[in-house]
Amino acid sequence: MRSSFIKQLGLGYSFDKDREVLSLIYLCYFSIVLFSTIVILLHIADEPLIPMAYRYHFLILLNIVQLLLVRFRLIILAKFMMLTLFPFFLLILPIITRLSSDEFYFWFPYVPIALSLAPHFILHTSRDRPALIITLAAYLLLAIFIPGFMIQLSEGSEKIVPIVLENRFYYGLIPVIIYVFVNLALGLVFAKNYQYEQIMLRQQDELIQTEKMASLECLPQGLPMR
């Protein structure tokens, strides 16, 4: 019963053959639960919703659409939406619309770090290497420039926490250091895992060839001619 439920959640994909697709599916589930919780907390709060808060509703819908795309085997499109539209509405849209608040200084610099983990899981280390490198470079730029943009946008209209302004360099440097460390470590782990998989595949091929040769040697020889 439990295994059938897990298979249904996986939309027919298996971990052995479709590891990246399953990672995308469960990232969508996680995002839906996370942003649904945020939306519920926003609606039960006494304060009225700011316009930017409604993007969480859209992110829930976006993840549902991605699950539908995966269900209909449109994997590349679903991955593209996860790697582009998701960070756009979560990080870039508030900057473009110039809608920000003091709370962003504390958690926005670290959101690109969390988002940068997704490409390692939904992209193949070898097959999708160009897309992986481009995506990680884009998230690194977001981690570098977003804290400064958020402070600049709010200086004229809202009160900035003094400690943030006094330590702007360190507030920008720390997320970058964490970003580089986390992604290098995760990249090495996935690269080593890929190497071990290739070694296992070669050993399996060699074992199959050895068994074939052994079976040929065991075949009875032709009868001698009289």
Side-chain angles (χ1 to χ4, degrees):
M1 184 71 179
R2 183 178 178 181
S3 60
S4 62
F5 176 71
I6 293 176
K7 288 181 179 179
Q8 290 178 356
L9 286 177
L11 302 179
Y13 294 92
S14 62
F15 181 79
D16 295 333
K17 298 180 179 179
D18 311 293
R19 188 179 306 172
E20 291 83 16
V21 181
L22 271 182
S23 298
L24 175 62
I25 292 171
Y26 285 106
L27 278 174
C28 290
Y29 289 146
F30 173 78
S31 299
I32 291 172
V33 172
L34 174 64
F35 292 117
S36 297
T37 305
I38 293 175
V39 167
I40 292 172
L41 293 175
L42 289 173
H43 281 285
I44 63 177
D46 295 332
E47 299 180 0
L49 292 180
I50 60 174
M52 272 295 95
Y54 289 100
R55 77 187 189 281
Y56 298 122
H57 301 72
F58 180 82
L59 288 171
I60 296 171
L61 178 61
L62 178 65
N63 282 277
I64 293 174
V65 171
Q66 289 171 179
L67 288 175
L68 291 175
L69 291 174
V70 173
R71 178 67 179 83
F72 291 104
R73 307 288 173 170
L74 299 173
I75 310 300
I76 296 177
L77 182 57
K79 289 182 178 181
F80 178 79
M81 293 174 65
M82 172 63 77
L83 297 175
T84 57
L85 293 181
F86 195 89
F88 174 81
F89 284 97
L90 190 61
L91 292 174
I92 302 175
L93 187 62
I95 296 175
I96 295 176
T97 56
R98 303 183 66 84
L99 295 173
S100 59
S101 63
D102 293 340
E103 65 192 55
F104 292 158
Y105 309 138
F106 299 99
W107 71 274
F108 254 67
Y110 300 97
V111 174
I113 299 174
L115 292 178
S116 68
L117 303 181
H120 291 284
F121 291 95
I122 69 176
L123 296 177
H124 194 274
T125 305
S126 176
R127 187 171 59 248
D128 304 319
R129 182 170 295 175
L132 179 62
I133 294 173
I134 292 172
T135 306
L136 292 178
Y139 288 144
L140 177 59
L141 292 176
L142 289 175
I144 292 173
F145 292 109
I146 275 186
F149 277 118
M150 302 306 292
I151 292 175
Q152 290 174 12
L153 290 176
S154 296
E155 277 182 336
S157 59
E158 298 183 12
K159 180 180 179 182
I160 306 297
V161 180
I163 192 173
V164 176
L165 285 176
E166 294 172 1
N167 299 276
R168 285 181 63 171
F169 175 77
Y170 299 102
Y171 266 80
L173 180 62
I174 291 173
V176 174
I177 294 175
I178 297 174
Y179 178 95
V180 172
F181 173 78
V182 169
N183 281 279
L184 279 179
L186 200 57
L188 288 173
V189 168
F190 277 89
K192 287 294 182 182
N193 183 60
Y194 177 72
Q195 291 178 1
Y196 292 145
E197 287 180 352
Q198 295 302 308
I199 292 172
M200 290 180 62
L201 289 174
R202 285 197 297 269
Q203 290 177 344
Q204 289 176 357
D205 290 338
E206 292 173 358
L207 181 60
I208 292 172
Q209 294 298 324
T210 303
E211 291 177 349
K212 286 182 179 179
M213 295 298 295
S215 63
L216 290 174
E217 292 175 357
C218 292
L219 288 175
Q221 301 295 322
L223 295 175
M225 294 183 63
R226 292 180 180 178

